Amino acid sequence: MPRSVNAVASRKRRKKILKMARGYFGARSKVYTVAKNAVEKGLTYAYRDRKAKKRAFRRLWIARINAAARQNGISYSRLIHQLSEHNVELNRKVLADLAMHHPDAFKAVVDSVKK
């Protein structure tokens, strides 16, 4: 009985990895075994950094809100507490955008919840 190999699936699997490795330098984009390692590492970083990106943006928004809030005479923590007490459901992304691009609107929000 002749030896059976699944050449179609094997080639497809290798081509998929090499396609993902396009743009990598040298052997990382040409040699399957090297490309496979590079792609796996890249996918690991991509997964990890999708989470890190969310954390980084939240930190940025908080810094922007804090800076704008202090210009309006209130600290970040007091502002967030007052917003939750007054049931103002603006998230940090929106508050940061208001603080950066629409300072008058942000001031109105702050004044609406200030004691």
Side-chain angles (χ1 to χ4, degrees):
M1 189 168 149
R3 181 167 152 258
S4 172
V5 290
N6 197 353
V8 177
S10 300
R11 188 177 310 111
K12 184 178 178 185
R13 193 165 47 245
R14 286 190 296 267
K15 279 185 70 158
K16 184 174 82 172
I17 295 292
L18 287 171
K19 184 179 178 190
M20 290 171 80
R22 270 196 206 151
Y24 288 7
F25 182 82
R28 291 164 73 92
S29 67
K30 306 279 188 272
V31 180
Y32 173 71
T33 51
V34 180
K36 183 169 175 264
N37 292 334
V39 166
E40 281 179 2
K41 180 74 93 166
L43 291 173
T44 303
Y45 286 147
Y47 176 79
R48 179 197 71 188
D49 291 339
R50 280 195 298 275
K51 314 289 180 251
K53 182 179 175 184
K54 292 170 179 63
R55 293 193 295 267
F57 268 105
R58 186 181 171 96
R59 266 198 325 267
L60 174 67
W61 296 331
I62 288 171
R64 286 178 174 175
I65 294 166
N66 189 25
R70 286 179 187 277
Q71 287 178 342
N72 289 294
I74 189 170
S75 72
Y76 168 80
S77 61
R78 287 188 193 279
L79 174 64
I80 295 298
H81 180 68
Q82 291 296 324
L83 287 171
S84 66
E85 276 191 348
H86 287 81
N87 296 321
V88 178
E89 296 194 7
L90 292 174
N91 62 22
R92 286 164 181 81
K93 181 179 179 178
V94 172
L95 284 170
D97 186 61
L98 287 175
M100 287 291 292
H101 303 295
H102 309 285
D104 297 334
F106 184 80
K107 184 172 174 36
V109 170
V110 171
D111 291 342
S112 71
V113 297
K114 241 186 194 179
K115 284 186 179 177

